Amino acid sequence: MNNIELADYSSFDTLDFFSDENFIRYVLQPQPADIAYWTEVLVRYPAQKNAIEEAEGWIMMLNTQAVYTPPALNSEQAWDKIQTRMQHLDRRKRTYIIPLQQFAKWSGAVAALFLLYLGISELMQQGQQVFHSAYGQLRTVTLPDESIATLNGNSRIYYVRNWRSDKPRELWMEGEASFKVKHVAILNRVQQADSFRVHVNGIDLTVLGTQFNVKNRRGKTEISLVQGSLRIDKSGINAFSRMMRPGDVFVYDGNVLHKGLQQRTARASQSWTRKELDLDGYTLGDIAQILEDTYGYKVTLNAADLSARKLSGTIPLGSADDILFVIEKVFNVSIIKNKNQLLINHKTN
Amino acid sequence: MISDEQKAWDEFRYGSETALKFIFDSYYTLLFNYGHKFTPDDHVIEDVIQDLFVKLWVDRDKINATAAVKNYIYKAFRRRLIRKLDYAPLIMAFPATEEKIHFDIEPGHDHRMISAERTKKIQHNLAIALEKMTSRQREVIHLRYFEEMEFNDIAEVMQLSTKDTYKLLYRAIDTLKKHLPRFDYLVILYLLDLQRK
């Protein structure tokens, strides 16, 4: 017993024991070691007996307070009430809250998908916009500035989407297209940024508000101005710059620009947009090329003399079969059709 | 080693009603007793206990695992009860408001004591000292000596820092010191008195 190391309790009073953690543990949950320790304390500090007893008394008194139980306390009854409320809430959760949460989750997912779709389509439109038409198909495209481009069969236009007001509107094309350009300049204050520019076959066409047709087939570009004014520019080698006036037709063959034959009017070059083909100035050979370029046929003209034949008039451009029928009648030829092969012969009779 | 209580707590969190009933049974009487220190109104205590367990059930998916189920229950109960008693400080800047909370301790009987006469005297002294304490001081004493909670548990239940809990207990001890008719103190007074004569 004497070998137990004791703290110095000589100056302890009741309150010191009462608030001493070791002492509290000894009183509330005594372990054999605690009992040995405090027995030794009592032996070594007999003067503190009173204080120790009193502190122990306090702790025990506080610890053994009677648990308050109201007369009507009934834990089973209380639990029944709680259980009833629990089940009621669970039922409500099943019938209303969970379906609502699921609806919210679903609608959230739908909204997220929709936003994603919007985002992606917006992103896709940020880059190059390309429109092209199939053989024999007309296609009308409204450009971001509300200008209208009509594509003849087998044609393509593309532009970089974000046209801004401080830069010229720029567009690239292949095939044949007719334009109705919206005039955006303020009267008498024309700026570079107001112009509309078409890049085709290495030349640039710069216009303000205007109507014109561009036909770019087989390396040859035919520009027909219907209304307004248009400037043709070529930069680099063989650079040139020409102003066109309404009614003018210019042809660029990849090297030289020359004024087109007057037989073919500018308005006639746009006739296809009205689903007609103005034959003025066209030979059967020209029409054969149109059938190849615009309608995708492979045409074989069997007689050289037929190629140069000219006629005037208008052919309705409905279905390809209608066109062939009309051509047979108008040019007095026979057309043998085999898939996309056309064989044009003299009429045999 | 996981206690039955912790096992029940985990089962309850996964939706076992039986497990919650087990926890309810272990704490119902004790919570009633604790609540009674704040208010003599049994209906309020009953309501708060029922609300507490219904709320536990509703929130079971969001409740975390804990090693200190008792702390959790006591803390939640205390907060609800105080709110219900309308003592809850409206603004946290006035924590002193909580001093108003009524908290009663009636000393029990010590069965280990020596003589009945001495027991009575000690009990009397303790009762006087407790009466002089603030309710929060009394509550600390109750949680420490009756509920046998450690300081950090008391701090959690009363929503105080451990430091503040210590301070509160020291102040409680101080109050005891000031209000106890102590033998030594009386002797000194007596001696001083003699000298004056």
Side-chain angles (χ1 to χ4, degrees), chain A residues 32-286:
Chain A
D34 295 316
I35 295 168
Y37 183 95
W38 288 99
T39 311
E40 184 66 16
V41 172
L42 269 173
V43 170
R44 292 227 206 131
Y45 299 94
Q48 313 298 62
K49 188 170 182 274
N50 216 30
I52 290 174
E53 273 179 7
E54 196 168 39
E56 187 178 2
W58 286 5
I59 294 170
M60 286 313 292
M61 279 172 192
L62 289 168
N63 188 249
T64 58
Q65 292 169 68
V67 172
Y68 171 78
T69 39
L73 190 81
N74 184 332
S75 84
E76 288 304 318
Q77 226 171 52
W79 178 253
D80 283 347
K81 281 185 199 162
I82 292 170
Q83 207 177 24
T84 309
R85 284 172 65 189
M86 276 162 55
Q87 285 161 359
H88 172 71
L89 286 168
D90 277 355
R91 232 184 350 262
R92 207 172 64 180
K93 194 169 164 185
R94 271 198 304 276
T95 35
Y96 301 108
I97 299 171
I98 290 176
L100 211 74
Q101 280 171 344
Q102 258 155 10
F103 172 76
K105 215 188 272 175
W106 273 105
S107 54
V110 168
L113 273 176
F114 181 67
L115 282 177
L116 192 72
Y117 164 77
L118 279 186
I120 287 173
S121 56
E122 189 63 25
L123 267 179
M124 299 214 332
Q125 296 201 339
Q126 274 308 316
Q128 209 180 54
Q129 277 293 82
V130 182
F131 296 95
H132 77 269
S133 53
Y135 280 118
Q137 185 200 50
L138 292 195
R139 185 166 181 189
T140 302
V141 177
T142 305
L143 301 172
D145 65 337
E146 291 173 16
S147 294
I148 291 164
T150 309
L151 276 63
N152 205 343
N154 182 32
S155 302
R156 220 160 89 93
I157 59 169
Y158 52 95
Y159 57 89
V160 179
R161 192 193 180 241
N162 54 341
W163 278 355
R164 301 212 320 249
S165 55
D166 58 343
K167 276 192 174 161
R169 296 157 283 173
E170 284 188 283
L171 182 144
W172 288 258
M173 67 159 283
E174 288 156 20
E176 183 166 12
S178 190
F179 296 92
K180 253 188 193 159
V181 176
K182 195 178 156 82
H183 194 85
V184 294
I186 301 162
L187 194 66
N188 297 332
R189 286 184 58 194
V190 178
Q191 300 171 341
Q192 165 86 358
D194 298 327
S195 61
F196 184 99
R197 204 166 279 165
V198 176
H199 304 279
V200 60
N201 194 22
I203 53 176
D204 303 331
L205 314 177
T206 306
V207 299
L208 293 167
T210 220
Q211 279 191 47
F212 63 102
N213 189 75
V214 183
K215 182 180 175 184
N216 174 44
R217 302 284 193 197
R218 299 162 194 252
K220 208 172 86 176
T221 307
E222 184 187 293
I223 304 132
S224 318
L225 184 63
V226 179
Q227 233 175 62
S229 71
L230 192 156
R231 195 180 69 225
I232 307 170
D233 293 300
K234 165 104 172 59
S235 52
I237 317 157
N238 300 327
F240 56 79
S241 180
R242 285 290 292 274
M243 283 302 294
M244 281 178 78
R245 283 196 315 241
D248 284 352
V249 177
F250 278 87
V251 179
Y252 176 68
D253 59 7
N255 283 310
V256 193
L257 182 77
H258 52 84
K259 205 158 183 195
L261 302 167
Q262 287 300 316
Q263 294 101 305
R264 190 138 179 87
T265 62
R267 183 161 283 279
S269 1
Q270 238 187 356
S271 62
W272 60 268
T273 62
R274 301 183 292 271
K275 298 204 172 182
E276 290 171 349
L277 182 60
D278 196 321
L279 291 177
D280 280 344
Y282 275 161
T283 63
L284 186 57
D286 290 331

